[in-house]
Amino acid sequence: MTTNTVFFAGPSLGLASAAQRWHDFWRGQIGEWIITRGLRIAMLVIAAVLAARLVNWVAQRVTRSLDEGFTESDALVRSEATKHRQAVASVISWVSIVLISIVVIMQISDVLQFSVGGLVAPATVVGAALGFGAQQLVKDLLSGFFIIVERQYGFGDLVALTVTGVAAEARGTVENVTLRVTRLRSSDGELFTIPNGSIVKTINLSKDWARAVVDIPVSTSADLNRVNEVLHQECERALDNAVLGELLLDAPTVMGVETIEVNTVTLRLVARTLPGKQFEAGRQLRVLVIRALARAGIVTAADATVGVVDDGGVPYPERSEVTDADKGPVAQR
């Protein structure tokens, strides 16, 4: 009986000792610190992560709703209010995450009972050093703040930015605007990340409306009155074009002679277009002008009179051919 009692009591004593050690651990300094402070720190960190995820989710929902509204509408370009809202949503999400991080750090320092009074003097020295070293960062943040507040440009705008220390300007479509940087996507697909403090001049090519400028060089022997008449006719009919009618805000205007050279005279035609659509409208206007001048028998500097097809897709009548029996070798005028 004695042997059996010892045999069955062994595991019970082992479990009791493990439970006692576990109890002593939580009653000790480490366990008490975990219960009183560690759990609070863990809850603060979890709350901060959830809050940051919520802010990002709300910002993505706002951006997605703006994109869906733009896609479902009949507008060819985003409105200025939509561009500004999207930029503001991006900035608010970024600032909110920074504020959440600062608040959580302060709460954790309070839980740890970390006294900041003794750090006043060292913080003053460090702050002065950072003031000289981080002045570019402060400049970027202030510049980004004024870019957003003054609505210099927003998401989707076509801009040309002059950057300090760079010979050529950065040109492209704005993909993202934050308080610190602006990201542009060029026509070649390159992504430019430009600090806002380095931007010294901003040219917004898609603010409210844009202007397409078309220069038409013609021969000096051409009848300028006839050329002006043809251009005015095309300007009056431009709004009736299926493609141009969606891009133009009003009928194009013939400005007249722009330059005079040895063999050519250049006339200028301008048109107000939707923001960012000036290049597409300019290409369409050039096609219409070339066709109209070719139909009128006016030779441009590019001599674009061969193979011209009208808007209906029907070739223009070919000019007469002269055979060998009439006038030597075959020639087509």
Side-chain angles (χ1 to χ4, degrees):
M1 290 296 294
T2 305
T3 304
N4 293 337
T5 303
V6 174
F7 177 78
F8 288 108
S12 300
L13 291 174
L15 293 175
S17 61
Q20 184 63 34
R21 287 196 301 269
W22 181 256
H23 178 74
D24 294 339
F25 171 78
W26 289 110
R27 295 296 298 270
Q29 292 182 352
I30 298 178
E32 185 179 357
W33 186 90
I34 293 176
I35 294 174
T36 58
R37 300 181 183 180
L39 289 178
R40 292 181 60 185
I41 294 175
M43 292 177 64
L44 286 172
V45 172
I46 293 173
V49 172
L50 293 178
R53 287 183 175 272
L54 178 62
V55 169
N56 285 329
W57 179 79
V58 172
Q60 291 176 1
R61 284 293 301 269
V62 171
T63 303
R64 192 179 302 113
S65 63
L66 292 175
D67 288 338
E68 290 176 355
F70 164 72
T71 304
E72 294 174 359
S73 65
D74 296 331
L76 294 178
V77 294
R78 287 180 173 85
S79 64
E80 295 299 324
T82 301
K83 297 174 185 177
H84 183 67
R85 290 194 194 104
Q86 202 149 354
V88 170
S90 175
V91 171
I92 289 177
S93 64
W94 184 81
V95 173
S96 300
I97 292 174
V98 173
L99 291 178
I100 290 171
S101 302
I102 294 174
V103 171
V104 169
I105 291 174
M106 293 179 63
Q107 291 291 331
I108 291 176
S109 64
D110 184 50
V111 171
L112 295 176
Q113 297 180 354
F114 183 76
S115 178
V116 297
L119 297 178
V120 174
T124 304
V125 178
V126 174
L130 290 177
F132 290 103
Q135 57 182 337
Q136 182 61 41
L137 177 61
V138 176
K139 183 180 179 181
D140 294 340
L141 296 177
L142 289 177
S143 299
F145 173 77
F146 286 110
I147 287 173
I148 299 298
V149 172
E150 296 173 358
R151 300 190 180 189
Q152 297 181 15
Y153 52 81
F155 180 84
D157 273 330
L158 179 63
V159 298
L161 304 179
T162 302
V163 185
T164 56
V166 180
E169 64 182 10
R171 182 186 295 260
T173 303
V174 178
E175 285 199 348
N176 193 15
V177 182
T178 65
L179 286 179
R180 198 184 73 83
V181 297
T182 295
R183 292 183 175 87
L184 302 181
R185 179 75 65 175
S186 69
S187 58
D188 297 330
E190 300 171 335
L191 181 64
F192 296 101
T193 301
I194 305 171
N196 293 327
S198 301
I199 301 172
V200 295
K201 185 175 71 173
T202 301
I203 301 177
N204 194 329
L205 304 176
S206 58
K207 181 73 172 179
D208 298 327
W209 57 273
R211 172 168 289 169
V213 179
V214 178
D215 290 333
I216 305 104
V218 297
S219 175
T220 53
S221 60
D223 185 359
L224 294 183
N225 291 329
R226 177 58 178 160
V227 174
N228 279 313
E229 181 182 352
V230 172
L231 293 180
H232 279 95
Q233 291 175 357
E234 288 302 313
C235 290
E236 293 174 357
R237 294 185 296 184
L239 291 176
D240 298 330
N241 187 277
V243 179
L244 274 176
E246 298 291 332
L247 304 177
L248 298 178
L249 296 177
D250 47 33
T253 304
V254 179
M255 303 299 293
V257 177
E258 182 67 20
T259 59
I260 300 176
E261 299 180 2
V262 178
N263 297 320
T264 59
V265 176
T266 302
L267 292 87
R268 174 161 292 184
L269 185 149
V270 298
R272 283 202 321 143
T273 70
L274 291 172
K277 299 296 181 180
Q278 63 269 35
F279 304 108
E280 182 179 354
R283 288 189 288 268
Q284 296 293 332
L285 282 173
R286 290 184 184 91
V287 173
L288 294 182
V289 168
I290 289 296
R291 290 174 175 174
L293 293 178
R295 287 196 298 268
I298 300 172
V299 179
T300 64
D303 195 17
T305 58
V306 180
V308 179
V309 180
D310 63 6
D311 295 336
V314 181
Y316 294 108
E318 296 182 355
R319 302 193 177 187
S320 60
E321 294 183 352
V322 183
T323 61
D324 293 331
D326 296 331
K327 197 180 285 185
V330 178
Q332 182 178 357
R333 294 181 293 174

